Amino acid sequence: MEISTLAMYHCLAFVWYFFIAYSITNIRTEERPSEVFLYGGQWKYLTVLNLVLQAVFYGVSFLADVLRLIKKLRCAKCIISSRDLLFSVLAFPVSTFVSISFWTLYSYNRELVYPKSLDGVIPLWLNHAMHTAILPFAVLEILALPHRYPAKKKGLILLGFVSFLYISWVLWIYSVTGEWVYPLFALFSPAGLTAFFAVSLAIIISFYNFGEFLNCMIWGQSKFCF
């Protein structure tokens, strides 16, 4: 794909995610159901954090494209490294995890992850923008250009660290409020919840590996595969 086309795509994707993140984080207080958006606000939900992550990623990608267009190659090299690290370690595995896990649990029992009371607050199109469109966006990014993945150990350590931070945030919210971020967690014993988090971590690691596999299979260049 031409750099100018990539720049336009990344710019539009950045504007889209910025708009979605802005829309969900600016729901008026009086419209919010009493059982959600309390301590931690929207920032306790992985879906919302992922929207911000995607906006940051596409913003960095657009900046890298612009620097390449104006021939600032030394600066572009540094930004491209940041772009690839963001995509490989976070943007692809997190968006894939959010989309697949959300719709799997939603199909089983939506009250565990997305109470029906939210239907009157969050329109259907916004729900799909947050939980559906993120997956094809992630796949399209792999199709659009190759990304250099870090060494496997480094990538998994970074992904594990970020996962640990979010789990710690969830547990902190429970310790303060006595309420779980997602009603699903209330179904588990402490041991069961530990196992659930471990399985979730294993799943998101598998999405990391799948993204790396796709990147190598599509672009077929050894310098993009480790």
Side-chain angles (χ1 to χ4, degrees):
M1 191 180 290
E2 295 291 332
I3 298 177
S4 57
T5 306
L6 275 174
M8 182 177 298
Y9 164 66
H10 285 143
C11 180
L12 291 174
F14 167 73
V15 171
W16 167 254
Y17 274 112
F18 183 86
F19 169 70
I20 298 302
Y22 177 83
S23 298
I24 193 64
T25 55
N26 282 275
I27 295 175
R28 290 178 297 182
T29 304
E30 62 270 19
E31 294 179 344
R32 302 173 184 177
S34 58
E35 69 270 22
V36 297
F37 299 158
L38 299 177
Y39 186 88
Q42 293 96 326
W43 305 110
K44 61 185 176 181
Y45 298 110
L46 187 58
T47 293
V48 177
L49 295 176
N50 179 59
L51 294 175
V52 176
L53 167 65
Q54 300 303 319
V56 170
F57 165 71
Y58 282 106
V60 171
S61 298
F62 176 61
L63 177 59
D65 297 335
V66 170
L67 290 174
R68 291 173 67 193
L69 283 172
I70 63 177
K71 308 300 183 182
K72 298 290 186 180
L73 300 182
R74 182 175 297 181
C75 295
K77 185 177 180 180
C78 178
I79 300 300
I80 288 172
S81 296
S82 300
R83 177 202 69 190
D84 289 347
L85 189 65
L86 267 175
F87 180 77
S88 60
V89 176
L90 294 176
F92 182 85
V94 173
S95 61
T96 305
F97 178 82
V98 167
S99 182
I100 292 178
S101 62
F102 174 83
W103 288 114
T104 299
L105 292 170
Y106 186 97
S107 299
Y108 173 71
N109 182 355
R110 66 169 297 176
E111 294 298 321
L112 297 177
V113 291
Y114 193 83
K116 196 170 183 177
S117 57
L118 287 175
D119 288 346
V121 179
I122 302 176
L124 183 62
W125 71 266
L126 185 53
N127 182 21
H128 281 293
M130 295 188 298
H131 298 115
T132 307
I134 56 175
L135 185 54
F137 263 108
V139 174
L140 182 58
E141 179 64 22
I142 287 184
L143 296 174
L145 74 162
H147 295 81
R148 178 177 287 275
Y149 272 65
K152 182 63 67 71
K153 182 178 180 180
K154 177 182 177 181
L156 293 182
I157 288 176
L158 289 174
L159 178 58
F161 178 70
V162 173
S163 300
F164 173 77
L165 288 180
Y166 180 68
I167 291 173
S168 298
W169 175 227
V170 168
L171 294 176
W172 171 258
I173 291 173
Y174 178 74
S175 71
V176 172
T177 66
E179 298 289 337
W180 288 110
V181 171
Y182 298 104
L184 169 69
F185 297 159
L187 301 179
F188 296 106
S189 65
L193 190 61
T194 301
F196 177 83
F197 286 145
V199 170
S200 297
L201 180 59
I203 291 173
I204 201 169
I205 287 174
S206 71
F207 290 146
Y208 171 92
N209 290 327
F210 181 61
E212 185 178 30
F213 170 77
L214 282 180
N215 189 66
C216 293
M217 286 296 293
I218 292 170
W219 296 102
Q221 300 182 44
S222 59
K223 68 178 181 178
F224 297 116
C225 306
F226 295 88

